[in-house]
Amino acid sequence: VAVLKHTHGLVEKGREMAQALFDFGLAFTLLGQAEAGALGDAMSKLGHCADNLSRTTADEADKEMEFFDEPIQDYVRLAKQVKLALDVRTDKMNTYESLLSEQESKKAACDRLNVAGAGDAPNHSQKVAAADEELRAVSAQVEKAKEECDVVTRRVFEEIERFKCEKLVDFKAIVQDYVQMQIEYNKRVEDAWREVLPTLQGLISPQTDGAGSPNAQPHGPDTAGFASPTAAQTPTSASAESFGLAEGAVPPAAPRMGSLDAVSDAEGDGAANPTPASESEEENFV
């Protein structure tokens, strides 16, 4: 029963897959009609491929129902019949055992009457005769029940053995057919997808020139807003006007930069030993 449940569910899933592929194919076919150029053609081809696979999957589900699900259902019904036959045998066995027990009780009653001996001779003989009659009737029923039980048991066992032999052959054929169907179905599915794959791989992005081209060299930082420095623009020396000197005058020399210690020493020496002014300068000052 569990096998039948799962095989039936497998067939139903195949039918659901067929419907899903149909919807998938319809959607991509409509998308291909909406698009233009190579992309539209590729989407349409993909939609037609899915639609074809939908019909293939639906046909496969019908085959699985015919060659896999229905034979399993037949064997489930046959197994139920075997169970019913076993139940009949069980009933016959119970009837036989019940009559056998009754026979034992009748036989024990006859033995008690025989052991009791003479009391009322005419009445005693009648009781013994009645008990013997009942014992014979029960014994006949026991024999008949035993024969029926033996016949049913033999037939049931024969049917079970035949069922086992046929089940081995039939199940082997059923499973082999199912596996072969799956192999062929999956090959058809693979071939269908492989037909549409080159079309999808052939889709390329549109090539453009200049910066949009995939082969264009990448530009450095944008320097359009900055002018290249020239010799005239390079500040090699300060102009005379910037120092407030007349044209042709020599500007004072820039002090040579030394280390910080040298500058500090120079400042210290200047403070400690000031340079004396010349005599002419002193006279002019006075």
Side-chain angles (χ1 to χ4, degrees):
V1 177
V3 174
L4 176 62
K5 176 182 177 181
H6 290 295
T7 53
H8 190 70
L10 188 63
V11 172
E12 291 300 322
K13 285 186 179 297
R15 290 175 175 171
E16 293 175 2
M17 184 64 180
Q19 183 61 41
L21 283 171
F22 173 78
D23 296 336
F24 178 84
L26 179 61
F28 272 89
T29 301
L30 295 177
L31 177 62
Q33 294 175 357
E35 294 290 339
L39 179 60
D41 295 339
M43 295 301 100
S44 296
K45 190 169 184 179
L46 179 63
H48 290 310
C49 176
D51 185 59
N52 293 333
L53 286 177
S54 171
R55 291 191 292 270
T56 301
T57 304
D59 294 339
E60 184 67 18
D62 294 338
K63 290 180 180 178
E64 290 177 359
M65 174 65 73
E66 180 180 359
F67 296 104
F68 190 60
D69 187 64
E70 291 181 356
I72 296 296
Q73 291 182 13
D74 293 338
Y75 262 91
V76 168
R77 288 190 291 267
L78 185 58
K80 289 180 179 180
Q81 293 298 323
V82 172
K83 186 178 181 298
L84 290 176
L86 291 173
D87 292 340
V88 171
R89 177 180 176 272
T90 301
D91 292 339
K92 294 295 182 180
M93 289 291 297
N94 292 336
T95 300
Y96 170 70
E97 290 175 357
S98 176
L99 290 173
L100 192 61
S101 177
E102 185 178 358
Q103 182 186 27
E104 292 295 331
S105 64
K106 296 294 183 181
K107 185 176 181 181
C110 289
D111 292 340
R112 286 195 299 270
L113 288 175
N114 290 327
V115 170
D120 185 2
N123 192 14
H124 178 268
S125 60
Q126 291 178 358
K127 289 181 180 181
V128 170
D132 291 337
E133 184 65 25
E134 291 178 357
L135 179 59
R136 285 193 295 271
V138 172
S139 297
Q141 292 178 358
V142 168
E143 291 297 329
K144 183 179 179 180
K146 186 176 182 302
E147 291 177 359
E148 292 179 355
C149 184
D150 291 341
V151 170
V152 171
T153 300
R154 184 175 64 254
R155 289 179 179 177
V156 168
F157 287 165
E158 289 175 355
E159 290 298 323
I160 289 176
E161 290 299 324
R162 186 174 64 86
F163 174 75
K164 289 181 179 179
C165 295
E166 292 181 355
K167 181 179 68 174
L168 175 63
V169 176
D170 293 342
F171 263 85
K172 179 181 178 181
I174 292 171
V175 175
Q176 281 183 343
D177 291 343
Y178 176 74
V179 172
Q180 188 64 35
M181 284 191 300
Q182 292 300 314
I183 293 173
E184 295 175 356
Y185 166 71
N186 285 282
K187 283 183 178 179
R188 291 196 298 270
V189 172
E190 181 181 359
D191 293 340
W193 288 123
R194 284 188 181 277
E195 287 182 2
V196 75
L197 184 60
T199 303
L200 298 177
Q201 291 176 337
L203 292 176
I204 57 175
S205 300
Q207 301 293 327
T208 57
D209 296 332
S213 175
N215 297 324
Q217 295 297 329
H219 294 290
D222 187 9
T223 58
F226 299 93
S228 300
T230 62
Q233 293 173 335
T234 304
T236 58
S237 63
S239 63
E241 289 81 4
S242 63
F243 289 99
L245 301 176
E247 183 177 359
V250 179
R256 181 174 298 176
M257 300 300 295
S259 64
L260 292 177
D261 295 336
V263 173
S264 299
D265 293 341
E267 291 175 356
D269 295 340
N273 300 313
T275 304
S278 62
E279 293 181 357
S280 61
E281 289 176 348
E282 290 180 356
E283 291 175 359
N284 293 331
F285 180 74
V286 173

